[in-house]
Amino acid sequence: MSLRLRIAFSSILVGLLVLGLKLVAYWWTGSVALYSDALESVVNVASALAAFLAVWFAAKPADSNHPYGHHKVEYFAAVLVGVMIVLAALSIIRAAWLAYVDPQPVNFSVEGLAVNGLASVVNGVWAFVLIRVGRQHRSLALVADGKHLVTDVVSSFGVLAGVLLVFATGVQALDSLLAGLVALNILWSGWGLVKESVGGLMDEAVSPALQDKIREAISEAGAGALEAHDLRTRSAGHVIFIDFHLVVPGEMTVERAHEICDRVEEGIGRGVPGARTTIHVEPEHKAKHTGIVVL
């Protein structure tokens, strides 16, 4: 089992642990704000499961039906997680409204608040692990799961502070208002995740900084060629697909042109791990004089 897959599977176990802790905190206090916090953990478990399945499926090698691999499944998983986040937020809004209309007394429980705080600390540590490993291995599913947990941690500490305020002031309506604020925060997180994932499904180009790094690699490793133009990039999970036209002198042999292409691919691979490069070689009369100048 790869590191990405182990991390994704561990996320499910951590999610179940945090969910159990938050349910205990809600049971001890009866706070609808803590209930909303626990409900978000249900989504965490579901998103962790989706991330695990996405990472597992994305690791499958390319086949005749999917010659470019299965990496894009991570975007579908991220979209699914985003939709689940939005649904959870709507459910929390409903619970907050019902509690506002018919407020119930909140029980002060030091143990309940401590357990909820412990769950938030666990989530925070695991979110750091997910984002770090996800970025190192270019796994959108793991990064999305980690960012979702960061949102959960922020809202959880806000809820804890708010519940303490309810106990200090005796204003029960604050509990419902806090739950509503948590829901709005979750909605924003879900929207951002869906937007980013849809961008990947639409084959958005990589960031300008990464494009500059690719151009630099082509320029430095393409000695013998004249220029490169029509550079195109797209991401699919942890893989980055790159293609461009490489102009060489018309009298150059196929073998020599192939050597240059190999060298350029290696140069790009060193600067952009996970790159899959396709190069179309053209004679010098095809030069556009507007692309990448080879040093």
Side-chain angles (χ1 to χ4, degrees):
M1 187 181 292
S2 68
L3 175 62
R4 289 192 305 146
L5 205 55
R6 291 199 303 270
I7 292 295
F9 180 74
S10 299
S11 250
I12 301 174
L13 302 180
V14 172
L16 289 171
L17 171 64
V18 171
L19 172 60
L21 291 173
K22 289 188 176 182
L23 285 175
V24 169
Y26 163 64
W27 181 64
W28 276 342
T29 62
S31 165
V32 70
L34 292 187
Y35 166 75
S36 70
D37 204 20
L39 187 60
E40 186 177 4
S41 291
V42 175
V43 180
N44 290 348
V45 174
S47 64
L49 180 59
F52 172 77
L53 293 175
V55 171
W56 170 77
F57 195 75
K60 296 178 64 176
D63 53 41
S64 58
N65 290 328
H66 305 88
Y68 292 98
H70 302 80
H71 313 289
K72 277 197 172 183
V73 71
E74 294 201 32
Y75 292 111
F76 287 103
V79 170
L80 177 61
V81 171
V83 171
M84 287 191 293
I85 292 174
V86 171
L87 291 177
L90 295 176
S91 178
I92 292 171
I93 290 174
R94 177 180 179 275
W97 172 251
L98 292 176
Y100 182 78
V101 173
D102 184 22
Q104 300 297 322
V106 179
N107 301 317
F108 180 75
S109 171
V110 175
E111 294 85 356
L113 297 177
V115 167
N116 193 271
L118 174 61
S120 298
V121 171
V122 172
N123 258 350
V125 172
W126 192 247
F128 173 79
V129 173
L130 283 172
I131 294 174
R132 182 177 181 181
V133 174
R135 285 176 175 169
Q136 286 177 346
H137 294 266
R138 287 190 171 84
S139 173
L140 179 62
L142 293 183
V143 173
D145 201 14
K147 287 183 176 180
H148 178 210
L149 288 185
V150 170
T151 302
D152 187 21
V153 171
V154 172
S155 61
S156 293
F157 280 114
V159 164
L160 278 175
V163 171
L164 287 173
L165 186 62
V166 171
F167 293 140
T169 63
V171 180
Q172 299 294 328
L174 287 175
D175 190 41
S176 301
L177 293 175
L178 282 170
L181 290 175
V182 171
L184 293 176
N185 184 46
I186 295 171
L187 273 176
W188 181 255
S189 172
W191 161 248
L193 182 55
V194 170
K195 181 181 178 182
E196 180 181 358
S197 304
V198 169
L201 290 173
M202 294 297 292
D203 288 335
E204 282 187 354
V206 299
S207 67
L210 191 52
Q211 290 188 52
D212 289 341
K213 183 179 291 188
I214 294 169
R215 290 189 177 94
E216 183 180 347
I218 295 171
S219 179
E220 293 179 353
L226 303 177
E227 71 167 37
H229 56 248
D230 293 348
L231 173 66
R232 299 188 303 175
T233 62
R234 65 183 178 90
S235 297
H238 65 284
V239 176
I240 296 175
F241 290 96
I242 303 166
D243 67 81
F244 58 91
H245 294 192
L246 186 68
V247 180
V248 300
E251 69 277 4
M252 181 176 288
T253 64
V254 173
E255 183 176 3
R256 174 63 178 147
H258 189 269
E259 290 175 357
I260 296 174
C261 290
D262 285 344
R263 192 168 64 244
V264 171
E265 288 181 23
E266 291 174 2
I268 293 174
R270 286 192 296 269
V272 186
R276 303 280 177 85
T277 306
T278 301
I279 305 174
H280 178 71
V281 177
E282 294 183 330
E284 57 188 304
H285 72 271
K286 293 284 189 178
K288 295 185 176 181
H289 307 294
T290 56
I292 303 165
V293 177
V294 175
L295 299 177

